[in-house]
Amino acid sequence: MAEPLLEATCIHTYYGVSHILHGVDFRIGKGEAVGLMGRNGMGKTTLIRSMLGHVRPRQGKVCLRGEDVTESAPHRIARLGVAYVPEGRGIFPNLTVKENLLMAAREGVDGRREWTYQRVLETFPRLAERLDHGGGQLSGGEQQMLTIGRALLTNPDLLILDEATEGLAPLIARDIWRIIGDIRGSGIATVIVDKNYAAVMDLADRCVVMIKGTVVFDDASDKLTGEIVQKYLGV
Amino acid sequence: MFIPRAGTRGQAPLLIPHNRDSEETRPMDTAFFFIQLLNGLQYGLLLFLVACGLTLIFGIMGIINLAHGSFYMIGAYIAWSLASMTGNLALAILLGIPLTVLLGMLLEWLLFRYLYARDHLYQVLMTYGLILVFEELRSLVWGDDVHGVAVPALLAGSIPLTDNLSYPIYRLAISVICLVLAGGLYWLIQKTRLGMMIRAGSTNREMVQALGINIKLLYTLIFALGVALAAFAGMIAAPVSSVYPNMGAQVLIICFVVVVIGGIGSVWGALLASVLIGLTDTFGKVLLPEYAGVSTYLLMALVLLWRPEGLFKRI
Ligand SMILES: Nc1ncnc2c1ncn2[C@@H]1O[C@H](COP(=O)(O)OP(=O)(O)OP(=O)(O)O)[C@@H](O)[C@H]1O
Ligand SMILES: [Mg+2]
């Protein structure tokens, strides 16, 4: 396996008194693409938020490039090269498209600047046409492109996409999948959460399936047979 | 308590229009009208410096800060004491600004950051407590007397308008300084990366952090900016208003009116509302002196009937 980039061990996370994650292990290597699957409410988003410092796991350990970041602030983790495209997109509606992109642009961990403002606009020509629009005025697909573009402008080594194609028209979703494929091809490690299991399995080297806060499957994508999908994901 | 001259507190010296004595002999002729207009603007712009911090801190961090008026008072006392030491108000202000920035950072770091996740009730309790603490400290450090601060010699004169009406240069200077600061604030919030982060921080805290921005530091800076602006207003107002105990209370109340009229969290709303309040108050005192006390509240009621959310949306 590739050299580990992000490694979470035995994560237990609570929201108040509800015990959501029950000892989850999750790892992703440099340049690897991992699909994270599970039906609604199984804890995928909670796992991501636990690894990125947005919720504190009560037990367990998160390491990023070998550094223990379990107690680190979310911005510290982000600055170690992790970009996050959250569920519901998280654009800033009161900033223009241009400002959304520029506010967080920076070089990567080793000083790389592969993703520039220019390159993002070339990748997402629709954004280039709407630079002065408020973020809140964009369509769902454009907002998604904006969040992904903004994430890329931080020149990450790991991109986490939580339901990036949710609620998008099929044609737009196809566009997003193509771009995710390009990103993955450029050597950025990706964690992909999506309800379109076929597309995820297609892109991912490895798949992780969660049920009720535990991992029930973690193996190469081609080992994820129709039977297992049927059993755990109910498709 | 410590309120000498309580009887006169109803009309802050800051609000007394210049050359008031001449008003019964001259009704609203042009020069007199012009003077009131300048007074109203000057008062409104000064209010803006205090109110913009209040609205920023509420709009971005969600904190109701009753102690914000105290920063105005602290600024005035700092200006007075440093000016008495150095004999130079400009120097006193230059020395005072970094002190107030530090005070703001320290308070945010020690106290206010624990209020962000709390209910408004806790915020009101703590910040009301802070008012008492600040007044007590002021009494210990500076005493309970009223002090005058001399207008800097360079700005001491008046500009004659007619035979017996003139306008003090210092008041004009206050307006200009406030306008320059408002312009600077516009540039900071609308044109710089820091401003983009500030605006972003008012809508989605988690996302701001996920982009690698240290939101705690950002909040500390915003808070310190608000404190420094309010204190600066107190410093430049000191020669006009004099320096007296409890001087922040009145400013605080009127600033809340400004914030509500302007739209909670909106800096530009606060600018417009401050000027409106300044003019309403000044002309109200001249034209309808018997209703002077209610004119600003009447304005607030009218604006809220028309736009319940205030004039502007947040930044
Ligand atoms: N902020 C919260 N407070 C309390 N409970 C929460 C919170 N967020 C999520 N939960 C609960 O935690 C469990 C896991 O939710 P999570 O969002 O991690 O699931 P998910 O796998 O991402 O689901 P989805 O596919 O719907 O996004 C759910 O039962 C949910 O109701
Ligand atoms: Mg989810």
Side-chain angles (χ1 to χ4, degrees):
Chain A
M1 205 199 89
E3 200 183 327
L5 185 57
L6 178 66
E7 213 168 2
T9 19
C10 202
I11 300 293
H12 287 264
T13 301
Y14 293 69
Y15 283 125
V17 290
S18 13
H19 192 170
I20 308 290
L21 299 185
H22 303 261
V24 174
D25 292 325
F26 183 90
R27 78 204 131 74
I28 180 166
K30 287 189 177 150
E32 200 184 9
V34 176
L36 180 56
M37 304 185 189
R39 280 181 304 220
N40 287 329
M42 292 303 172
K44 306 178 295 289
T45 302
T46 307
L47 173 60
I48 294 171
R49 296 183 71 234
S50 306
M51 294 192 295
L52 299 188
H54 295 295
V55 277
R56 292 270 163 245
R58 242 186 245 180
Q59 258 182 62
K61 185 174 171 187
V62 183
C63 285
L64 189 54
R65 303 169 202 282
E67 182 184 332
D68 186 344
V69 295
T70 321
E71 303 288 325
S72 296
H75 76 271
R76 287 266 309 126
I77 297 175
R79 294 217 162 234
L80 288 170
V82 184
Y84 178 32
V85 173
E87 241 175 348
R89 304 186 188 119
I91 52 133
F92 303 115
N94 55 341
L95 267 59
T96 65
V97 169
K98 187 175 179 182
E99 290 172 336
N100 263 284
L101 288 173
L102 289 180
M103 63 162 293
R106 63 164 185 270
E107 53 188 32
V109 171
D110 43 12
R112 269 176 309 104
R113 260 204 195 266
E114 278 163 22
W115 286 93
T116 58
Y117 180 60
Q118 226 45 46
R119 181 165 171 204
V120 166
L121 294 188
E122 281 158 23
T123 313
F124 303 100
R126 294 176 68 139
L127 295 182
E129 293 161 21
R130 286 167 176 69
L131 287 178
D132 294 321
H133 286 53
Q137 293 168 284
L138 300 184
S139 72
E142 289 162 355
Q143 290 193 359
Q144 199 53 260
M145 294 175 193
L146 182 55
T147 335
I148 296 176
R150 188 179 61 189
L152 290 172
L153 271 176
T154 65
N155 286 290
D157 299 311
L158 171 61
L159 177 64
I160 299 180
L161 298 148
D162 196 351
E163 315 266 8
T165 66
E166 193 181 30
L168 299 185
L171 227 57
I172 313 257
R174 212 171 61 194
D175 241 20
I176 302 277
W177 280 115
R178 181 183 52 75
I179 289 158
I180 296 173
D182 290 350
I183 294 166
R184 179 203 174 331
S186 76
I188 297 177
T190 44
V191 175
I192 308 163
V193 180
D194 209 284
K195 295 277 144 64
N196 185 344
Y197 301 128
V200 175
M201 282 155 69
D202 220 34
L203 271 179
D205 305 309
R206 193 155 55 82
C207 284
V208 174
V209 179
M210 289 182 71
I211 288 192
K212 293 192 182 153
T214 55
V215 171
V216 291
F217 177 93
D218 181 352
D219 210 337
S221 298
D222 47 23
K223 302 256 175 64
L224 192 60
T225 59
E227 253 169 86
I228 300 175
V229 170
Q230 173 71 39
K231 183 170 155 207
Y232 293 137
L233 301 169
V235 190
Chain B
M1 263 183 348
F2 32 66
I3 313 177
R5 293 196 356 185
T8 58
R9 198 64 358 95
Q11 3 167 285
L14 178 63
L15 313 186
I16 296 174
H18 182 66
N19 272 336
R20 182 163 245 204
D21 343 15
S22 49
E23 82 197 43
E24 71 236 28
T25 52
R26 337 192 125 243
M28 278 308 246
D29 66 19
T30 323
F32 183 72
F33 175 83
F34 190 59
I35 285 176
Q36 300 310 327
L37 189 69
L38 288 177
N39 275 341
L41 279 176
Q42 178 252 298
Y43 172 43
L45 288 168
L46 204 53
L47 273 183
F48 169 69
L49 291 193
V50 186
C52 72
L54 194 63
T55 208
L56 266 178
I57 290 166
F58 187 82
I60 296 172
M61 286 99 103
I63 295 260
I64 297 182
N65 183 11
L66 296 184
H68 202 70
S70 303
F71 303 137
Y72 176 81
M73 174 192 75
I74 290 170
Y77 272 91
I78 286 180
W80 165 70
S81 66
L82 289 179
S84 346
M85 278 182 232
T86 63
N88 182 335
L89 181 64
L91 182 62
I93 291 178
L94 278 181
L95 292 173
I97 291 172
L99 288 181
T100 59
V101 171
L102 278 181
L103 173 72
M105 295 179 80
L106 198 68
L107 283 172
E108 198 276 344
W109 184 66
L110 278 177
L111 294 173
F112 281 83
R113 64 173 44 182
Y114 299 101
L115 288 179
Y116 298 146
R118 297 277 181 141
D119 193 73
H120 287 323
L121 182 63
Y122 290 93
Q123 304 177 353
V124 167
L125 277 174
M126 193 194 89
T127 56
Y128 182 72
L130 270 182
I131 296 181
L132 304 180
V133 171
F134 285 140
E135 284 297 336
E136 221 36 66
L137 284 176
R138 188 262 315 130
S139 177
L140 285 172
V141 176
W142 287 305
D144 295 335
D145 296 332
V146 177
H147 300 281
V149 175
V151 171
L154 202 62
L155 302 170
S158 282
I159 302 170
L161 293 174
T162 62
D163 294 343
N164 53 358
L165 286 180
S166 63
Y167 197 76
I169 295 175
Y170 187 73
R171 279 180 181 261
L172 216 51
I174 290 183
S175 296
V176 172
I177 292 170
C178 291
L179 279 173
V180 169
L181 275 177
L185 212 54
Y186 175 83
W187 174 80
L188 173 75
I189 293 178
Q190 297 297 333
K191 303 291 176 197
T192 66
R193 233 165 101 106
L194 183 62
M196 292 175 202
M197 294 175 193
I198 290 174
R199 279 180 286 146
S202 74
T203 55
N204 193 337
R205 193 187 143 95
E206 184 167 316
M207 196 62 229
V208 168
Q209 300 178 81
L211 286 165
I213 293 159
N214 185 346
I215 199 135
K216 283 190 176 165
L217 183 62
L218 190 67
Y219 281 7
T220 309
L221 291 178
I222 295 168
F223 193 85
L225 176 72
V227 171
L229 283 168
F232 182 77
M235 293 177 191
I236 58 175
V240 190
S241 73
S242 73
V243 174
Y244 51 92
N246 231 9
M247 66 189 284
Q250 200 174 28
V251 171
L252 176 78
I253 292 168
I254 200 73
C255 279
F256 268 110
V257 175
V258 165
V259 169
V260 169
I261 292 182
I264 290 168
S266 165
V267 175
W268 317 125
L271 179 57
L272 183 62
S274 301
V275 171
L276 277 177
I277 290 275
L279 293 174
T280 307
D281 188 82
T282 306
F283 280 102
K285 285 203 164 92
V286 174
L287 299 175
L288 297 165
E290 56 276 37
Y291 299 109
V294 296
S295 60
T296 48
Y297 300 99
L298 197 65
L299 177 70
M300 174 164 81
L302 288 177
V303 169
L304 292 185
L305 279 176
W306 172 47
R307 294 177 85 127
E309 304 269 286
L311 296 173
F312 282 74
K313 291 240 167 66
R314 50 181 49 186
I315 49 169

